[in-house]
Amino acid sequence: MTVTRRTTAGAPPAVSAEDLPRLQRRTSRVLMTSQMVGGLGVPISIALAPVLATEVSGTDELSGMASTAAVAGTALLALPLAALMTRRGRRPGLVLAYLIGAAGACLVVLAAVVKNFPLLMLGMACFGAASCANLQARFAAADLAAPDHRARAISTVVWATTIGAVLGPNLSAPASRSFAGTSIPGTAGPFLWAAGIFLLTAGLIAVALRPDPLLTARALDPAGEDAHQGRSLRAGFQAVAASPRARLALVTIAVSHTTMVSIMVMTPVDLGHHGAGLELIGLVISGHIAGMFAFSPVMGWLADRIGRLSVIGVAAGLLSAAALLAGTAGPRHGQTAAGLFLLGLGWSAGLVSGSALLTDSVPQAARAAVQGLSDLTSNACAGLGGAAAGLIVAQAGYGWLNAIGAMLVLPMASLALFTARRRPVAEDAAEDGRAAVGD
């Protein structure tokens, strides 16, 4: 059986039903490889961003602005890139995002050489586009996935980020030393490495991500001929407004990300206040990163097997338990480590189940726009949460930060419970992926 493609410009070639699983596997391999390679670029340099900001500005007070600019760039570029993907497909959007990230990395290096702080902020904002590409890749993995395997497809791409998250920081030192004796400061050297990594990733996607998964999914959509009016950012907003489950998915992704970022960024400070050295702090953060990425396939399997809403409930429980453990740990570093590990697991459960539910809950034509809106919302909330976390710890303490993080989870859990009770469980499970209409 051959599925005839739509007669739209740039549409992919005809795809047979027998070829679709093979094409999905190939798409997943390309996206996983791009995550492994491109994922190296962000952590290899972002760890040194606060140090570089201090060197360029000449004051410690502005050290956090570099990371803030990168988060802001990720959020602000989410919708323009989503608009491009909506019109042209995943491949042009992902390639452009990595090219912008490479250009931003070069601007950061130039700012370090000429000691120009505004230029550094601009470069870091553009650098955030690479993070935007990393986030959007998980949705690209879901474009061609069967409904009952959609969460697992998302989770495998999230898992691939583990490689960059673990190896990236360890490459910072050799990247800094590689420019010794030049006019490029050692703290800026990793950004040049990142630029090269992003260019390599852009080339990989441009060459290998064919046919485009989003365009192919549209070609297979029975409503594809009449869906052009639904392929706009406005239509994406309308799709979310019309779907309670899409709103729950947006809340889940935003709350999980905000809670994780807010607690995580202040944990090293709290550990230091209780006598922990750099090695112990590094181990705690490594355990947290392992919780975020290494177990995402388990979360994807669960979301496909027991339903998206059930795993959102798991995320709420894990995030609340993490806040309780970390917030009451004090000098008990083992308890803090356990809390941060659960924090990573809760983030993984929320991101994977929320992303799958979001994809399930909106029409095919509006998905790219809605997914961009999701990344805008989650990164904007996380940026505000990270900025507020320092003020909360300074005024009230790390325990109160965790208490507030746990309180953020309550609306998510309540909304999930309300959504689950609106219809029978069997209907929820079907819409969660096993029998999604139109897929």
Side-chain angles (χ1 to χ4, degrees):
M1 171 183 169
T2 300
V3 181
T4 305
R5 69 172 172 84
R6 308 296 169 197
T7 55
T8 54
V15 177
S16 70
E18 293 76 15
D19 287 341
L20 192 57
R22 177 187 57 80
L23 179 57
Q24 168 61 12
R25 289 193 297 270
R26 181 177 183 276
T27 299
S28 292
R29 287 196 297 268
V30 172
L31 291 170
M32 289 177 67
T33 303
S34 73
Q35 288 292 88
M36 291 177 185
V37 177
L40 287 169
V42 175
I44 194 178
S45 47
I46 204 68
L48 292 176
V51 180
L52 185 58
T54 300
E55 291 181 357
V56 173
S57 66
T59 175
D60 290 338
E61 294 179 358
L62 298 178
S63 61
M65 291 299 295
S67 299
T68 300
V71 173
T74 302
L76 292 174
L77 289 167
L79 283 185
L81 289 170
L84 175 61
M85 292 183 196
T86 297
R87 294 193 305 270
R88 302 288 299 278
R90 298 289 186 192
R91 187 172 66 252
L94 292 175
V95 168
L96 180 61
Y98 279 116
L99 292 178
I100 294 173
C106 292
L107 286 177
V108 169
V109 176
L110 178 60
V113 173
V114 301
K115 302 294 184 183
N116 188 307
F117 190 73
L119 184 61
L120 176 66
M121 294 297 98
L122 175 62
M124 288 302 303
C126 293
F127 186 86
S131 294
C132 198
N134 288 347
L135 290 169
Q136 283 292 312
R138 77 188 192 276
F139 290 122
D143 287 333
L144 296 176
D148 59 347
H149 285 78
R150 190 169 283 152
R152 275 170 279 187
I154 291 171
S155 67
T156 55
V157 173
V158 174
W159 173 85
T161 310
T162 309
I163 307 299
V166 172
L167 293 181
N170 295 308
L171 295 177
S172 296
S176 298
R177 292 193 298 268
S178 64
F179 293 95
T182 70
S183 60
I184 298 174
T187 48
F191 284 90
L192 271 186
W193 280 41
I197 289 170
F198 294 157
L199 290 174
L200 177 62
T201 308
L204 170 66
I205 292 172
V207 171
L209 195 62
R210 296 174 182 272
D212 189 284
L214 181 58
L215 297 183
T216 303
R218 284 179 180 169
L220 301 176
D221 183 9
E225 294 283 7
D226 303 318
H228 293 285
Q229 68 274 16
R231 297 173 188 171
S232 66
L233 293 179
R234 181 179 180 182
F237 282 98
Q238 292 173 339
V240 172
S243 172
R245 297 165 73 85
R247 294 196 296 272
L248 169 61
L250 276 178
V251 170
T252 297
I253 296 170
V255 168
S256 299
H257 197 49
T258 302
T259 303
M260 185 276 292
V261 169
S262 301
I263 295 175
M264 182 268 293
V265 295
M266 296 310 299
T267 299
V269 176
D270 184 69
L271 285 169
H273 289 165
H274 289 98
L278 291 178
E279 288 187 3
L280 179 56
I281 292 174
L283 286 173
V284 171
I285 298 301
S286 294
H288 169 67
I289 292 172
M292 288 175 64
F293 299 116
F295 296 90
S296 56
V298 176
M299 300 304 175
W301 180 82
L302 286 173
D304 283 334
R305 293 290 295 178
I306 66 175
R308 321 303 195 215
L309 299 183
S310 297
V311 178
I312 289 174
V314 171
L318 287 170
L319 291 170
S320 299
L324 176 64
L325 283 174
T328 59
R332 295 180 291 276
H333 301 321
Q335 183 174 326
T336 301
L340 265 286
F341 177 73
L342 290 182
L343 185 69
L345 282 181
W347 175 87
S348 180
L351 182 76
V352 171
S353 60
S355 298
L357 180 63
L358 187 67
T359 304
D360 294 340
S361 303
V362 297
Q364 167 62 245
R367 281 178 185 169
V370 171
Q371 290 157 355
L373 174 63
S374 169
D375 285 347
L376 166 65
T377 304
S378 62
N379 281 286
C381 291
L384 291 174
L391 296 175
I392 294 171
V393 170
Q395 297 297 320
Y398 182 70
W400 274 104
L401 173 65
N402 281 271
I404 293 172
M407 285 188 282
L408 287 177
V409 176
L410 290 177
M412 179 184 89
S414 300
L415 187 57
L417 183 61
F418 174 76
T419 303
R421 295 183 65 179
R422 291 186 65 184
R423 286 185 294 175
V425 174
E427 292 185 26
D428 282 330
E431 196 169 316
D432 274 349
R434 295 187 178 91
V437 177
D439 283 314

